Amino acid sequence: MSVITRFAPSPTGYLHLGSAFSALTAWRRAREAGGKFLLRLEDIDTARCRPEFAAAILEDLAWLGIDWDGEVRVQSQHLTEYRAALDALTVRGLLYPCFCTRADIVQSASAPHTPDGAPLYPGTCRNLSVDEREARIAAGERYALRLDMARAIAAPLAFEEEGEGTILCRPELFGDVVLARKDAPGSYHLCVTHDDALQGVTLVTRGEDLKSATNLHRLLQALMGWPCPTYAHHELLVNAVGRRLAKRDRAETLRELRAQGYSAADVRAMIATFRRSG
Ligand code: GLU
């Protein structure tokens, strides 16, 4: 089977060295295997994503010498598809509306947390009566949709991590995750898994910070009957004190480096020699 990989940035800022490394990793895997490299803009979070960043990311990738196959998939143009997936889960009684605010959920530091560091949802809205749900929705209260984790898990699940082998999944550690936010028509978990399946991705290459999320993605694949790709979570580029490069730390952007006179070859060489996690 020929390799299909992808790079799926969220356009919340300019491409920095860390994300360029991620793009190069996926692109090389595809090109070395004579496979396909897809590009997807994960822009459903309209509060954080901006069209000018999306355009800049495409331009910066091309400048770096990365080409992609086919059209760029832009998630905000496919909201009805995510809605259909949510509806399919709702019909099976696997989702419920959650009216809690962030403040309702944040608990004391000793309260349990999920593997990605979020407070574990205590299940407050899981047992609301149908009448109460309907009344609150009718009154215009905003709600998220959560997965009823206990009902969703049917059998043990695992995924293949390149270089490591089979990894058993523990989706239950995440509790009742949000699959549609109050302010966005789908969550990252739902949309990324939907699109990897739809686009026939066979190899998901992405940063190791997203490895724990694969526990949930595998569960969604099982629930929706979507195929399970192989995963290759790569190390992250880190700064001098070992902290990962991130937009919020103003990690050096390709734009800045370009303005300072660096060539694409210089930037690639810089990425190749950068400190990495692990
Ligand atoms: N859109 C995600 C991000 O920018 C990455 C999604 C993925 O590669 O699975 O962090």
Side-chain angles (χ1 to χ4, degrees), residues 2-9 19-40 58 61-62 65-73 199 201-203 205:
S2 133
V3 172
I4 303 180
T5 68
R6 81 322 185 253
F7 175 54
S19 40
F21 170 60
S22 199
L24 277 169
T25 304
W27 175 78
R28 282 201 186 107
R29 288 302 308 271
R31 295 292 173 251
E32 280 164 12
K36 281 192 182 160
F37 173 72
L38 310 178
L39 187 58
R40 182 165 75 227
L58 302 193
L61 287 172
I66 290 180
D67 61 335
W68 51 90
D69 297 299
E71 300 267 303
V72 177
R73 181 172 169 92
Q199 296 188 284
V201 170
T202 63
L203 178 69
T205 59

Side-chain angles (χ1 to χ4, degrees), residues 1 50 83 106 108 119 121 137 156 178 197 202 209 215 230 237 261:
M1 188 175 51
R50 299 226 304 260
R83 170 50 57 191
V106 172
S108 69
Y121 181 61
I137 292 171
V178 168
T202 63
D209 54 325
N215 287 274
T230 299
L237 300 194

Side-chain angles (χ1 to χ4, degrees), residues 6-11 22 40 42 188 192 196 204-207 209-210 217 247:
R6 81 322 185 253
F7 175 54
S10 301
S22 199
R40 182 165 75 227
E42 302 205 323
Y188 156 64
V192 76
D196 284 337
V204 170
T205 59
R206 61 182 175 202
D209 54 325
L210 291 172
H217 301 175
K247 289 166 203 163

